Amino acid sequence: MPDADPSPRRRPPAPLLAAALVALPGVSLGAAAYLGLPAPDLPPPLQALLYGTAIVGAAFLLSWAAEAAQVDISAGLALALLALLAVLPEYAVDFVFTWTAGTTFGDTGSCTPPGGGEDACSLALANMTGANRVLVGVGWPLVVLVAAVAVARSRRSGSGAAGTRRGEVRLAPAMSPEVVFLGIATLYSLHLPLRSSLTIVDAVVLVTIFVLYARRLAQAPAEDPDLIGTSRWLGEQPRRRRRAWVAGVIAVAALVILLSAEHFAESLVETGTTLGVDEFLLVQWVAPLASEAPELIVACLYASRLRASDSLGTLLSSKVNQWTLLVGTIPLVFALSSTSFSGLPLDAQQRTELLLTAAQSLFAVSLLVGLRLTASGAATLFALFAVQFVGSILLPADADRVLVLVLSGVYVVLALLRFARHARTTRRLARDGTVTSFAELEERETAAA
């Protein structure tokens, strides 16, 4: 794409204005609450809806701005930035629960609120583990499904379908770092269920993995992005105006999230109490519907536009972000809010949740060692996720814990079998993801095409 359209439209497109307007009610309520101004006394379910809608509106703003940023930075780093910005609502919601847990721990010496109720520390991890499993168990299969529909439609019209062949989504060789660094973070996370807390040491290790990942992506050359719609309007502005618009849109979206995330989390918990729904399940499965919406929306848009590789790549980058930077910063937020160096305590339920999330991540990495996600692999991810999801709702706590342990074992066994079967491919992937030049990876992609 050229640096600037010679005569770009100055008027912002309607979707950009619509996303801002959708966020306005939630922002107004949040600002009134922070400033102590009078506001309507709405029931918790309606508050959760308004704040959640504001977060989704901010998600669209972030996705458009991050896509437009590809004009100025490398493609791989742009995808990572898009994933990081798209997952920002998840960070905000999770940090709210973690901060509450740290404050409770600092005041009482435990994670149980003085008046009783759900363990505050378990809520912090419930949102994180639930969001991670939704992303892989639902998001990845959804990409394959949407891409397959788009491919079928394009073939009927006689056009091409890059990135998807015979019911599978292929990743470009340049996306090897995403798979490799997710694998590295997953290997480290497998020992977390054996621990009694998440500590500052874990934060240092996981954040370091993320920094090395970002540094690796920064080595990729810049490319002209293929932008459409609102992101294209942003990208076609003259350089100075484009950068001002991108920075401004990101700032507005971040403000919306900051004003909405805490109140969304609080109203969600209050909704559960009002409706008699278990708070843990509400935080684990309902909260991610709003916080994960940006990533799923962006991925589906890419897949529907026959950019299946970028679609899966975005969710893959989001998973790397969540499994390194998000998990790594949780102990830091907890330490700050508790004004101590104590780690986030882990009870038996939290350890089993971490085990299942890490095991699912290991299996997901094993499915991508050949840089492709097949329809059968996607179906397996969704089926195993669906079993655990239904079990968490219908089964009593003890039976659900047994199911989690069994499913964790299934994930690990399937992953080890795949790694053993594709040992040579795994070794080449590890090399490509860490040391092979991006020029060589691009040459390999061109030759394969």
Side-chain angles (χ1 to χ4, degrees):
M1 175 176 292
D3 179 66
D5 190 294
S7 56
R9 290 183 294 132
R10 289 180 175 271
R11 181 177 298 177
L16 188 66
L17 299 176
L21 289 175
V22 163
L24 189 58
V27 171
S28 300
L29 286 175
Y34 276 114
L35 297 175
L37 301 176
D41 186 17
L42 302 176
L46 182 56
Q47 290 186 43
L49 176 63
L50 292 177
Y51 288 126
T53 302
I55 291 175
V56 172
F60 276 99
L61 295 176
L62 287 174
S63 66
W64 291 324
E67 281 191 282
Q70 295 180 48
V71 176
D72 297 303
I73 59 179
S74 69
L77 191 58
L79 271 182
L81 175 63
L82 174 59
L84 179 59
L85 292 176
V87 82
L88 186 58
E90 174 60 32
Y91 278 73
V93 173
D94 219 336
F95 285 177
V96 168
F97 287 117
T98 303
W99 188 271
T100 301
T103 303
T104 302
F105 185 85
D107 293 340
T108 66
S110 72
C111 291
T112 303
E118 188 70 48
D119 185 293
C121 297
S122 69
L123 293 181
L125 283 180
N127 189 63
M128 183 274 291
T129 55
N132 268 272
R133 296 208 293 272
V134 166
L135 182 64
V136 175
V138 177
W140 290 20
L142 182 62
V143 163
V144 176
L145 177 62
V146 174
V149 172
V151 168
R153 186 173 61 245
S154 69
R155 286 179 177 172
R156 285 196 298 268
S157 63
S159 58
T164 306
R165 303 176 185 175
R166 299 189 182 93
E168 65 183 27
V169 173
R170 293 179 179 268
L171 292 172
M175 292 181 183
S176 299
E178 279 85 347
V179 182
V180 171
F181 280 92
L182 176 57
I184 294 172
T186 298
L187 290 176
Y188 180 81
S189 69
L190 284 172
H191 91 287
L192 296 180
L194 304 176
R195 305 268 299 284
S196 60
S197 64
L198 291 178
T199 67
I200 301 296
V201 174
D202 300 315
V204 171
V205 172
L206 291 170
V207 172
T208 299
I209 293 174
F210 175 80
V211 170
L212 294 175
Y213 161 68
R215 181 182 177 184
R216 170 64 171 156
L217 292 185
Q219 299 170 358
E223 298 177 358
D224 290 336
D226 179 22
L227 305 178
I228 65 171
T230 302
S231 58
R232 183 178 180 85
W233 179 85
L234 290 170
E236 287 182 341
Q237 300 300 309
R239 177 180 296 180
R240 184 173 298 178
R241 190 188 305 165
R242 177 181 67 242
R243 292 179 176 177
W245 265 104
V246 168
V249 170
I250 290 175
V252 169
L255 180 63
V256 171
I257 291 169
L258 289 175
L259 291 174
S260 305
E262 179 179 0
H263 301 295
F264 171 69
E266 291 174 350
S267 58
L268 196 64
V269 173
E270 291 176 9
T271 299
T273 303
T274 303
L275 301 178
V277 180
D278 182 76
E279 288 183 15
F280 185 89
L281 293 178
L282 200 67
V283 170
Q284 185 171 50
W285 300 126
V286 179
L289 292 180
S291 59
E292 294 296 321
E295 302 147 88
L296 298 181
I297 290 168
V298 171
C300 289
L301 288 174
Y302 274 142
S304 65
R305 287 155 45 185
L306 300 178
R307 295 176 60 184
S309 180
D310 287 342
S311 176
L312 183 56
T314 299
L315 292 187
L316 181 56
S317 293
S318 295
K319 174 63 176 177
V320 177
N321 277 295
Q322 289 191 14
W323 211 219
T324 55
L325 197 59
L326 176 58
V327 179
T329 49
I330 283 177
L332 296 177
V333 174
F334 183 84
L336 287 173
S337 60
S338 65
T339 62
S340 70
F341 290 102
S342 300
L344 179 70
L346 302 175
D347 61 18
Q349 181 183 19
Q350 294 162 341
R351 289 196 290 271
T352 55
E353 293 290 335
L354 279 173
L355 174 63
L356 180 61
T357 308
Q360 183 204 47
S361 181
L362 185 68
F363 178 57
V365 171
S366 74
L367 290 174
L368 296 180
V369 292
L371 293 181
R372 60 181 183 177
L373 179 60
T374 64
S376 60
T380 303
L381 279 175
F382 180 76
L384 291 174
F385 170 83
V387 169
Q388 195 275 317
F389 174 77
V390 174
S392 68
I393 296 175
L394 300 181
L395 295 178
D398 291 341
D400 180 52
R401 191 166 301 167
V402 172
L403 177 63
V404 166
L405 293 175
V406 170
L407 287 175
S408 299
V410 171
Y411 278 128
V412 171
V413 169
L414 291 176
L416 292 178
L417 290 175
R418 284 193 57 83
F419 284 129
R421 181 181 177 185
H422 303 282
R424 181 177 299 179
T425 304
T426 302
R427 288 193 295 269
R428 185 178 67 179
L429 175 67
R431 183 174 62 253
D432 289 346
T434 53
V435 298
T436 304
S437 69
F438 279 95
E440 181 179 339
L441 294 176
E442 289 180 0
E443 289 176 3
R444 192 181 302 167
E445 180 181 2
T446 303

